[in-house]
Amino acid sequence: MLDIKQIRENPEVVQERLNSRGNKYDIQPISELDRQQRELEGKRNQLQARSNEIAGLIPKKIKAGSDPKGAEILALREEGKSIKEQLSPLEPQEKELKAKIEELVLALPNLPSDSTPIGKSEEENVEVRRWGDDYIPQNPNILPHWEIGEKLGILNVERAVKVAQSRFVTLIKAGAALERALIQFMLDRQTQAGYIEISPPILVNTDSMTATGQLPKFAEESFKCADDDLWLIPTAEVPVTNLYRGEILDSADLPIYHCAYTPCFRREAGSYGRDMRGLIRLHQFNKIELVKFVEPSTSFEELEKLVANAEAILQALQLPYRVVELCTGDLGFSSCKTYDLEVWLPSSGKYREISSCSNFIDFQARRGDIRFKEAGKKGTQFVHTLNGSGLAVGRTMAAILENYQQPDGTVRIPKALQPFLQREVL
């Protein structure tokens, strides 16, 4: 959530940075409502001050000898009565204006950072670096991961569709074991890197979805329980970030690092026809999420560390990947700066996203009212929040099935995973 003071004091800058995202965001209605609200507040404060003055003046004058039923006192009482009548409609009017302002501000995305590349779409994202070119397989006959998975009998789509619908899969035998091994491996690595493991609820309320930026804008992409104020989480970012909603943290406790394994649920609205097969774009998938709560002065440094934590998983698995910095036109709603990690999928000859690491600065903290206080200093500040995938489990599995595929139709297990599976080949 943007700071209304920032919109009020630097409207041109805010509008320019919003425009860099490519969509049409107009802050003029917000500025106009804010002007009306402040004028109303000023009028109400003046009237209230006069009302308080009269309330104190009447007993003083009576004590000084004025006739309680005389003209002077009656005039003051009449003025006080008139002021109360004027005040009566002002507070609900002001409350209504504030609600309209909040509604409009909640619909605005975060402002891109000054260092975020300007661009209109993903075609203008900037490649930062590549890793693992030597690990790119030279086998020219690599099958897509869903085909090799079906041949090995470890992945079944037809039965998952029968149970649910399209964009679901069932993992069987070594497939289920491989997924479980990846989850354990990733959690072990991230807890060793200093993250505290969390097992959060996977159903969250509307306030939680609003705080992290999924609502109101992305309601159509989420699954909601019809009879309850509960949503299936699209990522563990939502429940983990909201653990501290409405709290004032001690600066001595920062930074806070959390990691969490959860199933995730997304409608994938607008993606029909894309990635209909395999593990890339499912309604239900597993992911390890990394979430940070940090002091504002350190958040961009913490973003680089977060990216390194996600990269470490790919490097340990010896999966070729690249790091891409998203341009303003491809930036997520809540993010001010994002790096995507894209893993190599040889069957398609493309890098595909496997982790997105973002700095939200104070955007989510304002929506969720997450603050911190420094000892010996007055007031509080909003924390900065960050998160990233460490990693998306299904996509990691897809990358293994393709990059470790052998000419004889088997799939080697990465050395880092062999202790978890007690086997070397699928």
Side-chain angles (χ1 to χ4, degrees):
M1 185 174 186
L2 300 184
D3 185 355
I4 188 64
K5 290 182 180 179
Q6 188 178 21
I7 297 174
R8 183 185 304 149
E9 296 171 3
N10 298 289
E12 296 85 2
V13 173
V14 171
Q15 187 65 66
E16 180 182 1
R17 292 173 71 184
L18 287 173
N19 290 346
S20 72
R21 282 179 164 270
N23 294 325
K24 293 183 179 179
Y25 297 101
D26 185 6
I27 65 169
Q28 183 56 39
I30 297 173
S31 297
E32 176 58 27
L33 288 172
D34 180 55
R35 182 191 63 78
Q36 294 176 23
Q37 186 269 318
R38 284 185 294 131
E39 285 182 356
L40 201 62
E41 183 180 28
K43 180 180 179 181
R44 181 175 57 79
N45 288 340
Q46 287 181 348
L47 288 170
Q48 188 62 60
R50 178 55 181 165
S51 178
N52 294 340
E53 182 183 7
I54 291 171
L57 194 58
I58 290 174
K60 284 183 180 180
K61 285 189 173 292
I62 293 174
K63 188 176 181 180
S66 295
D67 183 358
K69 296 183 179 181
E72 182 182 24
I73 299 301
L74 288 176
L76 286 172
R77 292 188 190 280
E78 282 299 317
E79 183 182 356
K81 182 181 177 181
S82 175
I83 289 174
K84 286 182 179 180
E85 290 174 353
Q86 294 177 65
L87 279 170
S88 179
L90 295 186
E91 187 171 344
Q93 288 175 20
E94 190 178 351
K95 186 176 181 180
E96 182 180 354
L97 282 172
K98 286 181 176 179
K100 288 181 179 178
I101 292 169
E102 181 176 5
E103 179 182 356
L104 292 176
V105 174
L106 282 173
L108 293 178
N110 203 351
L111 302 181
S113 73
D114 292 336
S115 62
T116 297
I118 304 295
K120 295 180 180 178
S121 67
E122 62 181 300
E123 283 73 26
E124 296 180 75
N125 292 342
V126 177
E127 183 176 307
V128 178
R129 58 183 172 273
R130 293 190 182 193
W131 186 92
D133 284 357
D134 293 342
Y135 295 113
I136 293 177
Q138 301 305 309
N139 178 7
N141 300 312
I142 291 177
L143 296 176
H145 64 274
W146 60 87
E147 287 190 23
I148 190 67
E150 289 172 350
K151 281 181 176 290
L152 293 172
I154 64 173
L155 185 154
N156 189 291
V157 174
E158 289 183 5
R159 286 177 174 150
V161 171
K162 177 172 64 175
V163 171
Q165 62 179 51
S166 62
R167 294 191 186 275
F168 287 88
V169 300
T170 297
L171 300 177
I172 306 165
K173 298 185 294 186
L178 176 57
E179 182 178 55
R180 174 163 44 86
L182 281 168
I183 292 167
Q184 187 63 62
F185 169 71
M186 292 176 186
L187 285 173
D188 285 354
R189 286 298 180 107
Q190 300 302 358
T191 53
Q192 289 166 13
Y195 290 84
I196 298 171
E197 185 178 353
I198 298 290
S199 181
I202 60 173
L203 285 164
V204 297
N205 56 36
T206 294
D207 286 345
S208 293
M209 291 282 280
T210 302
T212 45
Q214 278 73 27
L215 296 179
K217 187 173 177 63
F218 300 107
E220 74 282 358
E221 295 184 15
S222 301
F223 290 98
K224 184 178 184 181
C225 300
D227 297 328
D228 306 278
D229 178 30
L230 290 172
W231 303 74
L232 284 166
I233 61 169
T235 164
E237 163 199 347
V238 179
V240 175
T241 302
N242 278 277
L243 290 175
Y244 301 98
R245 174 160 48 88
E247 294 188 24
I248 298 176
L249 308 174
D250 190 326
S251 63
D253 295 330
L254 299 178
I256 296 172
Y257 297 172
H258 285 315
C259 65
Y261 151 67
T262 63
C264 305
F265 306 88
R266 297 181 187 177
R267 288 189 181 278
E268 292 294 344
S271 65
Y272 295 102
R274 297 176 58 197
D275 300 315
M276 288 298 295
R277 304 184 69 182
L279 301 168
I280 300 300
R281 201 178 298 275
L282 299 174
H283 287 312
Q284 175 187 326
F285 57 96
N286 291 318
K287 187 155 64 83
I288 309 300
E289 193 74 1
L290 309 177
V291 179
K292 291 185 174 186
F293 303 83
V294 306
E295 292 192 22
S297 62
T298 66
S299 65
F300 286 98
E301 177 185 348
E302 291 285 359
L303 176 60
E304 302 298 327
K305 292 179 181 178
L306 180 67
V307 174
N309 294 142
E311 286 185 79
I313 302 296
L314 291 169
Q315 291 177 12
L317 295 173
Q318 297 182 338
L319 291 171
Y321 70 90
R322 68 175 184 168
V323 179
V324 174
E325 184 174 2
L326 301 194
C327 70
T328 53
D330 197 32
L331 206 59
F333 179 82
S334 298
S335 177
C336 83
K337 187 178 182 69
T338 295
Y339 294 103
D340 274 3
L341 274 60
E342 299 179 348
V343 71
W344 178 253
L345 291 183
S347 72
S348 59
K350 294 179 181 179
Y351 288 97
R352 298 300 300 267
E353 179 197 336
I354 197 168
S355 173
S356 190
C357 300
S358 300
N359 185 1
F360 305 112
I361 56 173
D362 61 355
F363 188 81
Q364 292 180 330
R366 285 184 182 278
R367 297 168 78 102
D369 192 24
I370 308 172
R371 302 169 182 259
F372 74 98
K373 182 174 178 58
E374 293 185 72
K377 291 188 177 181
K378 292 183 178 180
T380 60
Q381 301 177 58
F382 288 106
V383 300
H384 280 194
T385 61
L386 304 91
N387 73 47
S389 303
L391 304 161
V393 179
R395 294 188 178 200
T396 306
M397 186 172 174
I400 290 172
L401 291 175
E402 295 194 9
N403 284 281
Y404 280 85
Q405 198 174 133
Q406 304 300 295
D408 64 359
T410 61
V411 174
R412 287 190 297 113
I413 302 296
K415 287 184 179 180
L417 288 180
Q418 290 177 13
F420 295 87
L421 285 165
Q422 298 298 309
R423 61 193 300 171
E424 297 181 2
V425 177
L426 292 176

